[in-house]
Amino acid sequence: MKQEYVGCKKLDNVDQISPSIAPSEFFSKYVASRTPVVFNGFITDAEWKVSKESWSYDNLIRRTPDDMTVKIEYRDNDADRFGLGKEKTVPFHEFITDIANGATNLYMTTQELEYDLEDQPEIISAPLTALQQDFPLIPSIFGNLVISNINIWIGRSSSWTTSGLHHDYHDNLYIMLKGQKQITLISPAFTEDLYTVGDIDIIHPNGRINYVGQPTFADGRSLDADKAWSAAQKLKRAMDEKIGIQRSGGKRF
C-alpha cells in the first residue's frame, strides 16, 4: 500500500465554530487540511427554512406527493443492524406513518439519483425533490466547492444503532434536525491498522482511497477521464464542422 496522506491526523479535539465563518477561512482551515469541525448552529443562508416543526411527520406527508416512493432498509428485529443489504421500495407516506407510529425496524437512507437527458445525475432525489424550496442547493459557506449530492436519513430507535465502520468518497456536511448522532472518526493516516474490505493500493494526499484494480485521480476522476473529455471535444468539433458544411450547401470553408 502506498501511503501519501498529508492531512489532519490528530482528532481528539474537534473545533466547534460558528456557521457564519467566511467561506475562504472554512476552506483553508478545515477543508484543505482535511480537518473535521462541528458547527454550533444551523447554516445561516436565508434559504434555510428547515426545522423540526416545518418537517414534522404530518408536514412531510402533507407536502409530498401521494405516489412518491423511497428505498428503505429494514431489519427483522432490534438486535439486527442496518446496512446488511435488506432493502425495499415503499410509498413515502407509508414509511413516514410507520415511523410516526413507533416503527424501529425501518430506515430511510441514501436514495438513488435520477439522470437527465445528457446522462448527468441530479444532486437530489425523493423526497427532497418536493422539499427543495426549504434549503439552499449550495450553502454559502461552501464557497466554490461543488456539491455531489444531498441526502436525508430518517429512522427511529429505542437504543443506539450503528451503520458500521465505512468511508465515503466525498466530504460530508451533516445537519442533525432531530435526535442524536455519534460519529467516530479515524484519520486516513491509520488505515494500515484497520481491517478493510478489499486491498488498498494507494491513499492519496487528500485521503482518497483507491483499492487494487480501482484506480482514480485524487479528485475521484477515472484515469481515462482526460482522454474521454478530449475525445468528446474532438467529436463535438467534428459534428459542428459537419453541421456547418450541411448548412452552407456542402461548401467547406
Side-chain angles (χ1 to χ4, degrees), residues 107-118:
Y107 180 49
M108 193 184 78
T109 180
T110 304
Q111 301 296 299
E112 295 181 0
L113 297 174
E114 296 183 357
Y115 286 76
D116 60 23
L117 296 177
E118 297 181 350

Side-chain angles (χ1 to χ4, degrees), residues 119-140:
D119 203 32
Q120 296 298 312
E122 303 289 348
I123 65 171
I124 60 174
S125 54
L128 292 178
T129 47
L131 305 166
Q132 59 183 302
Q133 66 271 27
D134 286 358
F135 55 88
L137 293 180
I138 304 179
S140 58

Side-chain angles (χ1 to χ4, degrees), residues 68-131:
M68 177 173 282
T69 60
V70 293
K71 180 183 68 177
I72 65 169
E73 295 184 23
Y74 65 92
R75 58 184 181 179
D76 297 325
N77 55 69
D78 287 355
D80 288 342
R81 67 179 180 87
F82 295 111
L84 298 178
K86 295 180 178 180
E87 298 177 345
K88 60 182 178 180
T89 299
V90 300
F92 179 63
H93 289 184
E94 175 186 315
F95 165 73
I96 289 297
T97 299
D98 287 342
I99 292 294
N101 289 334
T104 60
N105 64 322
L106 307 175
Y107 180 49
M108 193 184 78
T109 180
T110 304
Q111 301 296 299
E112 295 181 0
L113 297 174
E114 296 183 357
Y115 286 76
D116 60 23
L117 296 177
E118 297 181 350
D119 203 32
Q120 296 298 312
E122 303 289 348
I123 65 171
I124 60 174
S125 54
L128 292 178
T129 47
L131 305 166

Side-chain angles (χ1 to χ4, degrees), residues 1 3-9 11 34 167 185-194 200 203-209:
M1 182 184 77
Q3 174 60 273
E4 296 184 349
Y5 179 66
V6 296
C8 177
K9 299 178 182 179
L11 302 175
R34 325 306 299 140
H167 68 85
L185 299 174
I186 300 175
S187 169
F190 304 109
T191 305
E192 294 178 78
D193 299 321
L194 302 176
I200 295 177
I203 301 179
H204 292 281
N206 65 352
R208 172 83 184 202
I209 296 175

